[in-house]
Amino acid sequence: MRLAFLGRRLAMLVASLLVASFVIFGALYLAPGNPIAALSGGRSLPPSSLKVLEARYHLNQPFLTQYWYWLDNALHGNLGISITLRENVTTLIASRVWTTAGLVLYASLIILVLGIGMGVLAGLRPGLLDTSVLVSSAISAAIPSFVAAIVLISLFAVKLRWFPALGNGSDFVSNLRHFTLPAVALALSSLAIVARVTRAAIREEADREHVQTAISRGIPRRQLVRRHILRNAAIPITTVSGITIASLIAVAAVVETAFSLNGLGAYLVASAQDKDLAVVQGISLVLVSAFVVINMAVDLAYAVLDPRVALGSRAA
Amino acid sequence: MSETKGRGAARTGERGTSDEGRRRSEAGMGRWVGPGSREASTAPLLEVDGLTVRLRVEGAQRAVLRDVSLAVRPGEALGLVGESGSGKSMTARAIDRLLPRGAEVSGQIRFDGADVMTLAGAGLRGYRNGVAMIFQDPRAHVNPVRRIGDFMTEALRTNLDVPAGEAYRRAADMLGQVGIDDGERRLRQYPHELSGGMLQRVMIAAALLTEPKLLLADEPTTALDVTTQAEVMAILDDLRREFGLAMLFITHDLELAAAICDRTAVMYAGQIVEVRESALLHDDPLHPYTAALAAARPDIAQTAHRLAAIPGRPLSAFEAPEDECAFAPRCPHARDICREATPELIGLDGGLSRCARAADLRGRLRPELAEGGQSDD
Amino acid sequence: MSTAIPLVTVQAPRGGRAVGLLRGTGAAGIASAAVILAATVVAVVGPALAPFSPTLPNLALAFVGPTGAHLFGFDYEGRDVLSRLLAGAQSSMLGPLAVVIGALVIGTLLAVIAAWRRGMVDAVISSSLDILFAFPGILLAVLAAAVFGAGLPAASISLAIAYMPYVARVLRGAALKERSQPYVAALEVQGASATSICLRHIVPNVMPLIVAQATILFGYAMVDLAAISFLGLGVQPPAANWGVMISENQVGIPQGYPLPALAAGACIVAIVIAFNVLGERLFEQAQGAR
C-alpha cells in the first residue's frame, strides 16, 4: 500500500512538471504580439536572425509540436540561446547554478539548526526562553528578505564591517563570508516560521494522551521526549521545514539581487527586465523543477514518518 | 440484572477461562464474595485519605475533588461511579500522579504503606510498575507512529531491563491471554490497523505485563460499541481475578460497577457520597443520589410511561456550595438540616453515606420510591 | 441517565459578527486592527496628506538627513521621504488587496464546488490545485513580467493565481466538514437548492476562516509584491511604492545614508506584523469555533 502511495506521488510529480513546462512554454504565446516579437524581446533583428529563430523554435509548426520539440530539447540539456548574450542558455545557467544552490543550502542549514533547535527548546521548557522565542519569531516572520538584506548590510557590512556587502567570493572561505549575510537574510523569516511551528508541534504532542500513557508507566523523561514527543512532532516539523526550504528557491532571486550575487535568481530577474525570453524560460524550468522535486521529497518523508499514511494527500 | 447473567455466560462460554474464574462466576453472577465483605482483615493496598485537588479553572484555583477517601484491599475490586464532572476520573489521575501542572493536592495517598505524592526516582518507577492504568479511549492513548510490540514492551525494556527478545515473547503470550490470536504478527502492526476493541485489549495486556498489584481502569469500555464492551469487560474481569489484582474501576454505569466489583463508591460533585457492597447498592442504597441513579436507568423488564430523571444537572466540585449538602437542591428528601453544613461520611450497616438524613431514610430509599420526585416523609 | 431528552430543532448555526470576531482576538489583535485601519486611511488619502511632492526630484538635496518638517530626510533624488512614504501607501496596499480578493474569490468558489460535489469533481479540482502548487508566487510574477512587461497588474494577477490553491485547500477542508453537518442534509431534504445552501449557509459558516485566511494572505501578498517592486518588475519608478523605495535608495546604504531605505522597510514590516498577528488570532478563533 506504500507502493501505491509512492506511485501516485510520482505520477503527480511528472504531471506537475509537464503542466509547469507547458505553462512556461506557452508564455511565449500569451505575450502580446507574435512569438517572434516575444522571442526577440522587442528588438529589431535582421531577417537572417529572424529566420534562425523561426527554424530553431519550429514556429511554422503546430503549437503542440513546437512544445514537444522544446521539451525534448530541454530534457536533453538544450535550452536555447540567449538573445542578449548570444550564448547557450544551458551554459549560462550552469555557471550560476552553484551560487544559488550554495546560498539556498547555507540558508537551509541555518533554518534547520536554529529554527528547529529554538523551537524544540521553547516547546519543552515554558518560561523566559519560550516567551522570547515567541516574540522574536513573531517579529522576524514579518521581515521580508530584502528588508532584512538592507538592515544586515547597513549594520554588519557598512557599520561594523564584519562582512562584505556585495558580490561573490573567490574561494570557499571567502565565499562563506560573502554568503553569510545573504543566507541570513534569506533564512530569517523562514527561520521564524519553522521555530513557531516546531514549538507548537512540540507543545501539542506533549499534551497528547499517549504521552500520558507513557508517563503512567514510568518511562523516564528523556526517553519520553525522544520517543514520543519528538518522534511524533517530527511529522509536522519536517513538513513545514521542507515547504519553507522549497520556497527559498524563489525568494533567493530577491536576495541575490539585493546583494549583487551572481546567481540564477538575479539572472532570471535581469533577463525578465531585458525580455530575454529563452533565458527566462530556461531558468524558470530549472527552478520550478527543483521546487516540485523538493515538495515531493517532503511528501515522501511524511509518508515514511507517519505509518498512517497509505494513500491520499499530505493534508488529510 | 439479566445483563450480568448474560455477561457471565458469555465469559465462560466464549474463551477458556481459568478454572477458578469459572467456579467463581458460577457461584453467583461473578461476584467475588471474599475479603471485601469481611472488615479490615487484610491491610489495604491503596489508601486515599482526605484527598482534595484544586485546579486552575478559568483563572482561579477551584476544587475538583473534595475530601475524597477510599481504600482498596489486595485482590479487591472497588467500583467508582459518577456522572461527568463528579471527579471520578480525576481521582484516578491523582492516584496515578497524572494531574496537570499547577494542581494543588492536599490529603494523602498511600500505596503499600508508602506516601505516593512524595515518591521520586526509583521509588516512583517502582510505583508506576505496581499500578497500571487502563485509559478510556485506546486510540488516543496509544502512540500511532509506533508498532504495537513497541508499545507493549516499552515499560518492560526500559524500567525492568528485560531483554527485547524476552519482552516480545511475553507480550505475544499476553496477547493470547486477552484473546488476540497470532500475537507475533499483531506485535508488528501499527495501532491504526487494529479495531477499537482490539486496541483496548492490547492496552489491558500491556498493563498486565509489568505485573502490577493494582489496576486503575478509567471507563475502559465507554468508547467501544456495546458488543465489544461486553467482550472486553469479560476479559478484564477474568484476568484480574486470575492474577489476583486489585482494581479501581471507574464508570458512569452503576449496574456495570455492581456486576464487576465487590464494593462500589458513588461520587457526586467531587465528593464520595456512598460506599457500599455492590450487592446491596441497588436494592438498599444509603444515599438519595444513588437511589436516584439506580431509578433513572430504565429496566428492560418493565414498561415505564415516563423516564425517571433527576431534576437539575450534575454539579462539578467547584460549582457545589461549600456549606451545605451538594445534592440538596435536587434531592426529594432534602430538609433544613441538609443545608446547615456539608454532611460527613457516616458509617451505616457496613457502608458509608454522606447524607445528613441517612439514618432517617434507612430502608426507604429503594429505587421504586425515588421516582416522581415527591417524598412524603 | 438523569437528563430528559431535549427537543431537537434543526437550525443552521449563525456565523460570527465582525465586532464579535474582533473582540475575541484580544489586545494584540485589536492593536493590529488599529494599525491596519490607520494604514488603510493613509492608503486612501495618502497623496493628499503628503506635505511635499513625492515625485519631484531635487538632486541638490539628495540624501540630506532629517530636518524640521522632513522627518525622514530626503531620498536619493532629493525628494522628501515622509511624503513619498505616505504616497507610496496607496500602491503598497492596493496591490495586495487585489491579490487577496482574487485568490479568495476563485479559491472559495473552487473549494465549495469541490466540497459540495465531492467524488469525481472533487478529485479533478484537488489534483489540478495540487499541480498549481508547483509555482511559487514570485516565479510566476517574474515570468509574467517577462511576457507582459513589468507592472503592478501583471504581478498582482500572477500572485492571485499562485495563492489560490492554498486558499482552496484550507477552505475545502472546512467546507467538507460543514457539508457533512446534519443541518445541510435537513435543508436538502426540505428541497433547498445546492446554490442556496452553499451561498446562504456553508459560506457564511466558514466565513471566520475566510476572513482569517484573507488577513494572513494580505501579509504574504504585501511582502511578495514589495519584493517584486524591489526587483524592478512591479510598480515602476518614479511612482511611489515602498518596495521601489527600498530598491532605489539602496545605493545610499554603503554611503552611510540608510534612513530612506530603512524607513520604507519599517513601514512594510510594521503593517505585515499587524496582519500576521491579527490573522493568527482570527485563525485561532475560527478553529475554536468549529
Side-chain angles (χ1 to χ4, degrees):
Chain A
M1 21 130 218
R2 292 286 198 98
L3 271 136
F5 176 78
L6 206 69
R8 190 173 179 271
R9 275 277 157 261
L10 264 168
M12 289 294 303
L13 176 87
V14 172
S16 293
L17 288 177
L18 273 175
V19 171
S21 65
F22 195 77
V23 168
I24 293 174
F25 175 79
L28 194 60
Y29 278 84
L30 284 174
N34 58 26
I36 287 274
L39 282 170
S40 55
R43 297 172 187 75
S44 52
L45 297 172
S48 52
S49 310
L50 291 176
K51 279 227 175 54
V52 171
L53 272 179
E54 249 193 61
R56 187 183 310 142
Y57 282 89
H58 307 270
L59 290 175
N60 44 6
Q61 305 252 17
F63 177 70
L64 281 177
T65 324
Q66 295 184 33
Y67 169 61
W68 170 247
Y69 275 121
W70 178 78
L71 188 63
D72 188 47
N73 277 332
L75 288 172
H76 285 99
N78 178 5
L79 288 165
I81 311 258
S82 157
I83 212 109
T84 47
L85 296 177
R86 317 258 166 192
E87 275 185 53
N88 241 320
V89 170
T90 319
T91 326
L92 292 167
I93 291 182
S95 61
R96 290 169 173 78
V97 74
W98 292 113
T99 304
T100 306
L103 178 62
V104 170
L105 206 67
Y106 198 164
S108 303
L109 264 153
I110 297 177
I111 293 173
L112 290 177
V113 171
L114 283 183
I116 298 182
M118 288 202 299
V120 169
L121 285 175
L124 290 177
R125 297 154 205 260
L128 189 58
L129 178 67
D130 179 34
T131 328
S132 46
V133 165
L134 214 54
V135 170
S136 58
S137 64
I139 299 177
S140 321
I143 301 183
S145 53
F146 54 100
V147 173
I150 57 164
V151 171
L152 288 171
I153 293 178
S154 55
L155 186 60
F156 291 102
V158 177
K159 249 219 168 83
L160 295 172
R161 294 188 186 279
W162 285 357
F163 296 95
L166 306 163
N168 287 44
S170 38
D171 56 40
F172 186 70
V173 177
S174 81
N175 263 332
L176 227 57
R177 286 192 71 224
H178 280 264
F179 278 44
T180 301
L181 288 185
V184 172
L186 187 57
L188 194 64
S189 64
S190 304
L191 183 105
I193 294 175
V194 168
R196 289 173 83 85
V197 171
T198 302
R199 177 190 166 277
I202 300 268
R203 280 288 165 89
E204 203 179 306
E205 277 311 312
D207 279 341
R208 288 228 196 271
E209 287 100 325
H210 64 81
V211 173
Q212 298 275 299
T213 313
I215 295 177
S216 87
R217 291 152 133 210
I219 308 286
R221 173 91 183 147
R222 208 174 248 170
Q223 194 164 309
L224 190 86
V225 167
R226 189 171 46 88
R227 298 184 97 242
H228 294 279
I229 299 182
L230 287 180
R231 171 62 180 83
N232 289 51
I235 299 171
I237 294 175
T238 309
T239 310
V240 163
S241 306
I243 298 178
T244 327
I245 291 178
S247 72
L248 290 183
I249 295 176
V251 185
V254 179
V255 169
E256 285 172 15
T257 307
F259 284 92
S260 303
L261 290 174
N262 192 12
L264 277 183
Y267 189 35
L268 174 69
V269 172
S271 312
Q273 282 167 336
D274 288 341
K275 301 224 177 200
D276 193 341
L277 209 56
V279 177
V280 170
Q281 287 179 321
I283 300 182
S284 297
L285 200 61
V286 169
L287 293 182
V288 167
S289 305
F291 185 73
V292 169
V293 167
I294 294 185
N295 271 318
M296 159 92 167
V298 172
D299 273 350
L300 288 180
Y302 185 81
V304 165
L305 287 173
D306 190 347
R308 290 170 289 186
V309 170
L311 299 158
S313 57
R314 195 186 313 160
Chain B
M1 283 302 151
S2 49
E3 292 147 68
T4 32
K5 278 211 183 80
R7 273 193 211 111
R11 257 210 305 276
T12 48
E14 199 173 77
R15 27 165 305 283
T17 55
S18 64
D19 280 31
E20 272 275 281
R22 212 175 296 132
R23 247 182 285 126
R24 286 172 196 168
S25 49
E26 278 163 17
M29 294 205 280
R31 282 192 195 121
W32 173 232
V33 183
S37 53
R38 277 174 253 135
E39 285 297 329
S41 50
T42 20
L45 181 63
L46 175 74
E47 269 184 279
V48 178
D49 204 356
L51 180 67
T52 302
V53 173
R54 265 179 257 275
L55 291 182
R56 185 154 277 276
V57 177
E58 282 164 25
Q61 288 288 92
R62 299 184 200 255
V64 289
L65 290 180
R66 291 199 294 163
D67 194 30
V68 170
S69 300
L70 47 87
V72 184
R73 288 180 208 90
E76 178 191 29
L78 175 69
L80 192 57
V81 177
E83 296 168 287
S84 341
S86 59
K88 52 192 198 301
S89 277
M90 201 56 71
T91 309
R93 277 173 200 278
I95 295 172
D96 210 21
R97 283 185 60 167
L98 285 179
L99 291 172
R101 212 177 285 156
E104 278 172 32
V105 180
S106 55
Q108 258 215 344
I109 303 177
R110 279 188 299 276
F111 181 76
D112 241 353
D115 182 354
V116 168
M117 299 320 270
T118 58
L119 286 175
L124 183 58
R125 269 202 301 283
Y127 176 63
R128 294 216 181 276
N129 282 331
V131 174
M133 186 136 165
I134 298 169
F135 296 91
Q136 181 174 343
D137 180 4
R139 209 162 281 292
H141 281 99
V142 179
N143 191 338
V145 306
R146 293 204 173 270
R147 296 180 201 267
I148 300 289
D150 186 289
F151 170 71
M152 291 186 70
T153 58
E154 192 175 16
L156 284 182
R157 286 178 286 121
T158 317
N159 293 345
L160 300 173
D161 282 324
V162 176
E166 168 72 14
Y168 275 82
R169 197 190 53 77
R170 290 193 209 173
D173 272 347
M174 192 62 80
L175 282 181
Q177 298 242 20
V178 296
I180 296 182
D181 304 316
D182 202 4
E184 270 134 30
R185 184 174 71 92
R186 295 292 185 188
L187 289 179
R188 284 196 299 272
Q189 287 185 317
Y190 285 100
H192 68 272
E193 299 177 74
L194 273 64
S195 70
M198 288 200 115
L199 214 50
Q200 191 61 294
R201 296 190 207 203
V202 165
M203 176 104 79
I204 294 172
L208 295 171
L209 273 176
T210 53
E211 291 169 27
K213 296 189 203 159
L214 171 69
L215 283 180
L216 299 172
D218 187 0
E219 301 208 55
T221 54
T222 309
L224 306 173
D225 67 77
V226 178
T227 344
T228 328
Q229 272 184 20
E231 288 172 12
V232 173
M233 269 331 305
I235 290 168
L236 183 59
D237 193 32
D238 264 337
L239 286 177
R240 182 191 76 77
R241 293 172 200 279
E242 191 177 320
F243 288 98
L245 305 176
M247 179 164 74
L248 181 65
F249 182 72
I250 294 161
T251 178
H252 57 266
D253 188 341
L254 192 61
E255 308 255 326
L256 183 58
I260 309 277
C261 305
D262 314 310
R263 288 185 304 141
T264 304
V266 180
M267 282 189 80
Y268 183 78
Q271 294 178 307
I272 304 265
V273 298
E274 178 166 353
V275 184
R276 194 100 160 98
E277 267 183 47
S278 303
L280 304 169
L281 197 70
H282 185 273
D283 295 323
D284 191 14
L286 299 174
H287 193 281
Y289 178 58
T290 316
L293 273 185
R297 188 192 174 111
D299 186 352
I300 200 167
Q302 288 184 353
T303 312
H305 295 286
R306 189 188 173 87
L307 289 173
I310 312 177
R313 62 168 181 85
L315 297 180
S316 304
F318 54 84
E319 293 169 313
E322 300 247 340
D323 46 3
E324 62 177 38
C325 171
F327 188 59
R330 308 169 72 195
C331 182
H333 305 282
R335 293 286 177 274
D336 290 334
I337 186 179
C338 304
R339 297 181 232 274
E340 279 167 24
T342 312
E344 297 290 323
L345 263 180
I346 30 179
L348 203 62
D349 273 353
L352 296 167
S353 171
R354 198 186 281 276
C355 178
R357 301 191 59 213
D360 285 345
L361 297 168
R362 192 73 188 82
R364 291 190 281 153
L365 286 173
R366 288 184 207 265
E368 316 86 64
L369 300 178
E371 262 177 69
Q374 296 292 333
S375 164
D376 55 347
D377 54 332
Chain C
M1 274 189 289
S2 60
T3 47
I5 301 170
L7 199 64
V8 175
T9 38
V10 176
Q11 198 176 50
R14 299 288 300 138
R17 306 248 163 104
V19 177
L21 265 180
L22 200 57
R23 205 175 290 138
T25 55
I30 297 183
S32 307
V35 169
I36 294 171
L37 192 63
T40 315
V41 167
V42 172
V44 170
V45 299
L49 276 178
F52 303 94
S53 164
T55 43
L56 221 55
N58 186 351
L59 289 167
L61 291 169
F63 284 131
V64 172
T67 51
H70 301 270
L71 276 174
F72 295 106
F74 298 84
D75 74 351
Y76 83 114
E77 280 204 335
R79 297 173 289 211
D80 175 37
V81 172
L82 179 62
S83 306
R84 207 155 152 73
L85 284 178
L86 289 171
Q90 207 160 56
S91 67
S92 308
M93 306 263 304
L94 204 65
L97 186 66
V99 171
V100 169
I101 292 178
L104 272 184
V105 168
I106 305 178
T108 310
L109 194 67
L110 288 176
V112 169
I113 292 178
W116 182 264
R117 295 300 206 84
R118 292 183 286 205
M120 196 45 156
V121 174
D122 183 17
V124 166
I125 293 184
S126 295
S127 305
S128 318
L129 289 176
D130 271 345
I131 292 179
L132 258 173
F133 275 113
F135 277 94
I138 296 188
L139 219 52
L140 202 58
V142 171
L143 193 61
V147 167
F148 297 106
L152 196 56
S156 306
I157 296 176
S158 322
L159 282 185
I161 296 177
Y163 285 176
M164 186 258 293
Y166 294 94
V167 174
R169 174 191 269 178
V170 172
L171 283 177
R172 175 181 165 276
L176 274 174
K177 268 206 198 122
E178 206 57 33
R179 170 92 172 77
S180 49
Q181 297 270 23
Y183 78 86
V184 172
L187 284 166
E188 277 183 291
V189 162
Q190 289 172 28
S193 74
T195 330
S196 88
I197 300 180
C198 288
L199 282 178
R200 296 173 71 226
H201 296 279
I202 295 191
V203 169
N205 278 311
V206 299
M207 193 54 81
L209 194 62
I210 295 181
V211 171
Q213 271 286 92
T215 314
I216 298 179
L217 227 55
F218 197 100
Y220 283 127
M222 210 168 157
V223 168
D224 277 350
L225 272 180
I228 293 167
S229 300
F230 170 82
L231 292 174
L233 297 174
V235 174
Q236 296 293 304
N241 177 277
W242 295 337
V244 169
M245 285 174 73
I246 297 181
S247 161
E248 57 191 12
N249 288 303
Q250 201 185 351
V251 291
I253 299 179
Q255 300 174 33
Y257 308 110
L259 191 57
L262 288 178
C267 287
I268 297 179
V269 172
I271 298 184
V272 172
I273 291 182
F275 273 101
N276 278 357
V277 170
L278 185 61
E280 244 175 61
R281 299 267 191 276
L282 286 174
F283 202 72
E284 273 167 29
Q285 254 204 324
Q287 301 284 51
R290 296 276 111 239

